[in-house]
Amino acid sequence: MSEPHSATISVLVRNAPGVLVRVAGLIRRRGVNIHSLSVGPTEDPSVSRMTIVVDTAPERTELFAKQLRKLVEVLRATAIDGTPSVDRELALIKVNVTPGTRMEIMEIASVFRANVVDLTDRTMTIEVTGRTEKVDAILTLLTRHGIREMARTGQVTLVRGPQNT
Amino acid sequence: MARQATVPSKQRPAPRAGTINGAQALVEALRREGVEIIFGVPGGASLPIYDALYDAASLRHVLVRHEQVAVHAAVGYARASGRVGVCTATSGPGATNLVTGIADAIMDSVPIVVVTAQVPRAVIGNDAFQEADVTGITMPITKFNSLVMSAAEIPHAVHQAFYLARTGRPGPVLVDIPRDVLQEACVPEFTDEVSIPGYRPVLDGAPNQIAAAVKALAEAERPVICAGGGVIGSNASPELTALVEATGIPVVLTLMGKGALDELHPRCLGMLGMHGSAYANWAVNDADVLLVVGARLDDRVTGRLKDFAPRARIIHVDVDPAEIGKNKSAHIPIVGDAKRVLAVMVAQARVPQIESWWRQITEWRERYPFRYHQNSNRISAQYACDLLNKVTGGRAVATTDVGQHQMWMAQWYRPREPRHFITSGGLGVMGFGFPAAMGAKFACPDKTVVAVVGDGGFQMTVQDLATAVEHGQSLPIIVLNNGALGMVKQWQSMFYGGRFSSSLLRNPDFARVAEAFGARGIRVERPEQVEGALRAALETEGVPCVVDVICDPDENVLPMIPSGQSVAEMILDE
């Protein structure tokens, strides 16, 4: 599922009503698809971080960051293209199991350092964390067992090293 | 404006000592911002505001007949004066009628503050009577908007709105206030402080970038300056003029930049772009260095992007970093306020060697000036615009709608100073010119203000002749009447095989319409009558004067660079 033209923008916003709509709306009206968007608190309780993955050419990413900086509630917007970064997402995958397939699925989970977080006689729920490619890889292996449902958080990202994202 | 004596009302409980209601706090906050005039229409949710205005002697409210007129008038007021324009509307339909004007203000970077009333807090989101999600609707067309959820927050919300509207890149800010918040008692705290952590406009250009720009211009052989609306918005015309006089570099103006430099200045080449002068477009096409100031290089200016200024190193000065490199990448980007950046450039300016460049430009100028043919029976609209320019000397504040008449005014009207050409540039709004002229006249009652409109556009806001008559405005309104939505018809003529689908208008007699409203009306059908009618309208005192100029229906706007094409494809003659 990795997009050839996806780019990551990390945005620090003030916690105020409507901020999510403003940010999402700004991207939407420039005709670009949001691949994933994750929001959560930061070390400062009045500030949230949004990590947005958009389907756009890398050279357009900085233009998006510039537009986002114009929003009064945006404190910082960083286009992460080429900068070494740590990217993670978490997925919960509920897969069909039978007594015959249970061990094989647990082995797959183990290779991907995924955790089994729920188990019934017919299903197993696996929690996997990693880069998008890793999550996509385990999904490929689990597909033939039948994925009943899935939830992914979308990517979160921080720049490597001492500098701020 | 005369006011009736205040009648004590049983429905208005006397406020407790030290407390006022939200609407009174709003009016006081507006007064503290120096607001002298508000354009609006009252309604159910905004009744508390109007009750507070009843007592506010220093705040004049102009009751218009449609909210769209209120917002265009606020824009006209702001653009003519440089101050923040203010308008108000009630919840739901009142607020949605403002949408066109707010979108116009964001496209043209006009500082206005819009106050809308909202349904009471308890019913927000319940699809209440006259409810609309106004902050949601206007989110993409405001610089900022907010829904104020307590009366105590009103002073801060208003102060912040004015600060955001007029600083950085100016724009519209909307404040939405529920009716019960307007009625809520509060002890307001007025403050001059503004703290917006995410908003820090950069005003001073980076010195090394400015030095690089000065060097590039000094070493250029074929430099051109392109000045846009940002030069006018930041009051940078003196600095621009000084730079031009220090260097001798030719200047082209965008539609929004008209008047940024005296258009009779020998260095001024007038407007560039789709309907700009051939010589302005040729100069940009051949330029080796192009200094763009306060212009966003939209498609009507550039045509096909890769063929715009193809030989030029581009220096781009803008207070909005997002505009630099948006359409055309800049070799020397400078984020900053036009006035401050140009002032530094003037101080460092050196004279480039451009005598041969000027010889070339002069040759172009003489070969292809704007031209029209005025024959003996049908009035050329261009002739009327040319006459208006001659009669006013370019010293009147002229407003327009969008379309053919707008482009002819852009070509023939030569404002001698900034804030004297007010048009709906980016959004291109029909029905803008007349209300904007009303707003401009309120801002500058001692100046001559003239609206030039098309017969199509005038009918979109004509009802507010009632307002202009009520306020005794000496306001000439020149209707260039070609019985058509002229620009639509022109495109149908040139690109759709002359199939005039829904572009021909059967019009009323505008002179008689004017008279019905209590204004003066003059109908002009022959070329030799035009000058006398324009002079009569300009001399009419205390009442608007509509001049219905029956124009040649077959005249097209030329030159023209067809949409998405380049200067090489410019159409010069029929």
Side-chain angles (χ1 to χ4, degrees):
Chain A
M1 268 255 297
S2 75
E3 299 287 337
H5 291 306
S6 72
T8 305
I9 305 171
S10 184
V11 188
L12 289 176
V13 298
R14 275 163 66 195
N15 282 333
V19 170
L20 179 63
V21 181
R22 281 180 208 276
V23 169
L26 188 146
I27 293 171
R28 173 199 59 77
R29 73 174 188 269
R30 280 165 210 281
V32 168
N33 185 42
I34 296 177
H35 183 70
S36 77
L37 190 159
S38 84
V39 195
T42 64
E43 69 283 1
D44 178 345
S46 68
V47 174
S48 292
R49 184 184 296 280
M50 297 184 183
T51 308
I52 309 166
V53 180
V54 289
D55 297 342
T56 185
E59 64 271 17
R60 304 266 311 156
T61 318
E62 177 56 23
L63 291 176
F64 272 105
K66 280 181 171 180
Q67 293 289 348
L68 286 165
R69 283 178 209 127
K70 284 172 71 170
L71 295 178
V72 166
E73 282 138 340
V74 167
L75 303 172
R76 188 177 165 86
T78 312
I80 300 171
D81 38 13
T83 322
S85 60
V86 184
D87 310 313
R88 289 291 181 271
E89 75 169 311
L90 183 147
L92 294 174
I93 307 158
K94 191 182 287 179
V95 63
N96 289 325
V97 292
T98 63
T101 61
R102 185 179 298 161
M103 285 311 294
E104 185 192 341
I105 294 170
M106 289 182 74
E107 228 167 77
I108 293 170
S110 158
V111 169
F112 283 89
R113 290 188 228 165
N115 299 318
V116 175
V117 291
D118 188 41
L119 184 63
T120 70
D121 56 348
R122 283 177 294 156
T123 65
M124 186 188 296
T125 302
I126 294 168
E127 170 203 324
V128 60
T129 309
R131 293 178 60 88
T132 297
E133 296 83 349
K134 176 181 163 183
V135 176
D136 290 343
I138 191 171
L139 280 171
T140 308
L141 289 174
L142 293 175
T143 300
R144 69 185 177 87
H145 296 288
I147 294 170
R148 295 172 71 96
E149 57 182 358
M150 170 172 76
R152 294 171 74 157
T153 57
Q155 177 186 319
V156 293
T157 294
L158 285 181
V159 166
R160 284 189 187 274
Q163 78 262 40
N164 288 337
T165 304
Chain B
M1 194 164 53
R3 289 203 180 280
Q4 296 159 15
T6 305
V7 181
S9 164
K10 284 178 191 148
Q11 287 154 350
R12 283 195 304 156
R16 280 174 284 131
T19 70
I20 57 177
N21 71 22
Q24 291 165 322
L26 168 68
V27 168
E28 174 59 17
L30 293 172
R31 195 191 63 76
R32 284 169 184 256
E33 297 296 334
V35 177
E36 55 186 29
I37 193 163
I38 305 174
F39 304 94
V41 182
S46 67
L47 275 168
I49 299 175
Y50 281 82
D51 196 54
L53 284 171
Y54 199 83
D55 298 323
S58 68
L59 257 180
R60 183 177 183 190
H61 179 269
V62 174
L63 171 64
V64 296
R65 296 341 188 229
H66 188 290
E67 289 86 353
Q68 183 179 355
V69 168
V71 61
H72 290 329
V75 164
Y77 176 93
R79 287 179 63 175
S81 68
R83 299 190 292 270
V84 179
V86 184
C87 63
T88 185
T90 192
S91 66
T96 56
N97 276 344
L98 297 172
V99 166
T100 301
I102 299 172
D104 169 80
I106 194 123
M107 287 286 261
D108 290 346
S109 306
V110 185
I112 60 168
V113 168
V114 179
V115 179
T116 50
Q118 183 53 271
V119 299
R121 281 170 292 188
V123 294
I124 288 177
N126 283 11
D127 305 324
F129 176 65
Q130 291 195 329
E131 178 179 7
D133 173 11
V134 172
T135 46
I137 288 168
T138 59
M139 201 171 270
I141 53 168
T142 48
K143 187 171 173 184
F144 184 68
N145 67 20
S146 62
L147 175 63
V148 182
M149 290 299 271
S150 79
E153 292 170 48
I154 289 175
H156 177 253
V158 171
H159 185 54
Q160 177 172 285
F162 277 81
Y163 177 76
L164 286 169
R166 68 169 183 265
T167 57
R169 179 179 182 175
V173 180
L174 181 141
V175 183
D176 198 25
I177 313 177
R179 193 186 70 202
D180 61 323
V181 172
L182 291 166
Q183 290 167 322
E184 184 180 58
C186 65
V187 182
E189 281 180 43
F190 295 96
T191 170
D192 289 333
E193 279 174 36
V194 176
S195 167
I196 311 169
Y199 181 75
R200 292 177 301 271
V202 175
L203 300 178
D204 289 311
N208 58 332
Q209 294 292 89
I210 296 179
V214 169
K215 183 164 183 284
L217 286 170
E219 291 169 359
E221 292 174 4
R222 300 181 309 279
V224 173
I225 297 171
C226 171
V231 173
I232 295 170
S234 77
N235 299 312
S237 287
E239 289 75 12
L240 174 67
T241 307
L243 183 64
V244 169
E245 289 179 352
T247 61
I249 297 173
V251 175
V252 298
L253 302 171
T254 69
L255 178 66
M256 287 297 297
K258 274 185 68 69
L261 181 67
D262 176 353
E263 294 199 24
L264 294 190
H265 195 290
R267 303 302 187 198
C268 186
L269 307 186
M271 186 175 74
L272 83 163
M274 180 179 277
H275 293 296
S277 68
Y279 43 92
N281 285 323
W282 283 329
V284 170
N285 188 53
D286 268 22
D288 63 349
V289 176
L290 179 65
L291 167 61
V292 179
V293 193
R296 59 193 173 81
L297 298 181
D298 96 313
D299 54 279
R300 288 297 192 266
V301 162
T302 64
R304 193 189 299 122
L305 275 168
K306 76 174 174 59
D307 294 325
F308 176 75
R311 297 159 186 84
R313 293 186 74 206
I314 293 180
I315 305 161
H316 198 167
V317 181
D318 206 292
V319 74
D320 179 357
E323 287 302 342
I324 299 176
K326 185 181 81 175
N327 293 335
K328 190 85 185 168
S329 61
H331 302 82
I332 306 177
I334 301 176
V335 177
D337 175 63
K339 190 176 184 73
R340 296 198 193 184
V341 172
L342 287 174
V344 178
M345 292 180 81
V346 170
Q348 301 176 4
R350 284 173 282 153
V351 183
Q353 296 301 308
I354 53 174
E355 291 79 8
S356 67
W357 178 226
W358 266 111
R359 275 195 295 280
Q360 173 67 71
I361 290 171
T362 306
E363 192 263 319
W364 285 333
R365 229 181 194 172
E366 286 164 2
R367 184 154 35 117
Y368 267 103
F370 288 124
R371 58 185 86 185
Y372 61 87
H373 307 285
Q374 178 56 67
N375 61 30
S376 58
N377 39 47
R378 296 204 290 194
I379 299 169
S380 156
Q382 298 187 71
Y383 168 67
C385 294
D386 190 19
L387 269 183
L388 182 68
N389 183 57
K390 286 178 177 141
V391 169
T392 60
R395 297 287 182 189
V397 178
T399 71
T400 82
D401 280 357
V402 69
Q404 284 188 317
H405 75 281
Q406 176 195 40
M407 289 297 109
W408 284 320
M409 277 295 283
Q411 293 178 343
W412 291 101
Y413 191 71
R414 308 279 174 82
R416 307 297 309 275
E417 47 198 313
R419 304 193 181 280
H420 280 57
F421 187 80
I422 299 174
T423 189
S424 177
L427 196 67
V429 178
M430 289 174 71
F432 171 88
F434 165 47
M438 282 189 1
K441 188 70 184 178
F442 279 114
C444 311
D446 300 331
K447 282 188 181 159
T448 301
V449 178
V450 52
V452 179
V453 297
D455 46 315
F458 189 39
Q459 289 177 80
M460 291 197 178
T461 44
V462 67
Q463 76 288 334
D464 268 80
L465 277 173
T467 309
V469 168
E470 180 183 332
H471 290 272
Q473 289 201 312
S474 308
L475 189 63
I477 301 160
I478 316 303
V479 185
L480 298 179
N481 182 349
N482 57 7
L485 302 168
M487 193 60 94
V488 171
K489 184 175 169 234
Q490 173 168 341
W491 285 45
Q492 287 172 335
S493 164
M494 296 172 82
F495 310 120
Y496 291 86
R499 290 149 57 88
F500 299 132
S501 180
S502 295
S503 55
L504 304 179
L505 297 173
R506 185 180 161 180
N507 287 323
D509 180 331
F510 290 111
R512 287 174 60 201
V513 168
E515 283 163 6
F517 275 101
R520 186 175 176 199
I522 303 173
R523 182 180 169 94
V524 176
E525 296 179 356
R526 299 206 48 82
E528 64 273 14
Q529 300 169 320
V530 178
E531 182 170 349
L534 292 178
R535 288 189 187 281
L538 288 160
E539 285 159 13
T540 301
E541 289 286 337
V543 67
C545 180
V546 174
V547 183
D548 188 7
V549 186
I550 309 302
C551 296
D552 180 351
D554 298 324
E555 201 173 10
N556 283 337
V557 184
L558 292 172
M560 178 176 190
I561 299 173
S563 184
Q565 299 194 32
S566 75
V567 66
E569 288 104 339
M570 181 158 50
I571 301 164
L572 288 160
D573 289 305
E574 298 277 1

